[in-house]
Amino acid sequence: MFDTLRPKVLAIINSEADTTERLQRICDLLRENIGHYDWVGFYFKNGDKPELKLGPYAGEPTDHTIIPFGKGICGQVAKSNQNFVVPDVKAQDNYIACSFTVKAEIVVPLFVNGENVGQIDIDSNTADPFTEADERFLEFVNAEVAKIL
């Protein structure tokens, strides 16, 4: 599945659309083609503030448009610079619930010139669905996205 999506991601990255539109198309592509990706979005560092701001996403609307560094899974990744895979969100003390249907989450940081500028965030309504293959694929997506930021 990921092997068939890689060229599609590259085609979006290399398209003539503006950056926001390309990011939106990537969110839509992943959500529509990966069964356990129920919400797909990008968060980016909000200027010089120690917080993340929601960018393009696909899925149910969220109230979490601003996330302080350190809060929730996304906020922790903003500080740790490490992938964070959460097989069961109920087992996480520092989890910010977006929807009662979400059972698992994966967040992968996005680096431009070695600086953590944002992340891709995936929520799943399936318990423990994420594998190392998801991590490698999302790292690939972010490496390609970094080229257009």
Side-chain angles (χ1 to χ4, degrees):
M1 157 183 53
F2 295 128
D3 288 340
T4 62
L5 290 176
R6 285 175 199 270
K8 293 177 181 177
V9 169
L10 292 173
I12 292 169
I13 292 294
N14 295 318
S15 73
E16 295 297 316
D18 70 33
T19 301
T20 301
E21 176 64 24
R22 287 186 270 183
L23 293 175
Q24 184 63 57
R25 288 182 190 168
I26 288 170
C27 291
D28 293 337
L29 176 77
L30 301 189
R31 184 166 181 256
E32 291 164 9
N33 289 279
I34 303 172
H36 58 283
Y37 286 19
D38 295 294
W39 192 94
V40 179
F42 287 97
Y43 281 94
F44 293 100
K45 190 171 179 214
N46 192 9
D48 291 332
K49 298 175 185 171
E51 64 187 22
L52 296 165
K53 185 174 184 179
L54 180 62
Y57 70 92
E60 292 296 315
T62 178
D63 293 335
H64 303 113
T65 57
I66 300 289
I67 299 176
F69 287 3
K71 293 285 186 189
I73 308 308
C74 291
Q76 290 177 73
V77 169
K79 291 182 89 169
S80 74
N81 299 323
Q82 302 288 319
N83 296 356
F84 199 155
V85 179
V86 182
D88 177 6
V89 296
K90 289 185 178 65
Q92 283 294 319
D93 292 339
N94 193 6
Y95 173 68
I96 300 172
C98 290
S99 165
F100 69 91
T101 60
V102 175
K103 300 207 175 4
E105 183 174 12
I106 184 171
V107 179
V108 176
L110 199 165
F111 296 96
V112 175
N113 298 323
E115 181 188 355
N116 184 346
V117 299
Q119 53 200 231
I120 191 167
D121 177 23
I122 315 287
D123 288 344
S124 181
N125 298 340
T126 305
D128 196 13
F130 302 114
T131 66
E132 190 173 322
D134 290 277
E135 284 191 77
R136 300 297 83 82
F137 176 69
L138 295 172
E139 288 168 351
F140 159 80
V141 168
N142 280 356
E144 294 304 319
V145 166
K147 295 174 184 175
I148 63 170
L149 295 179

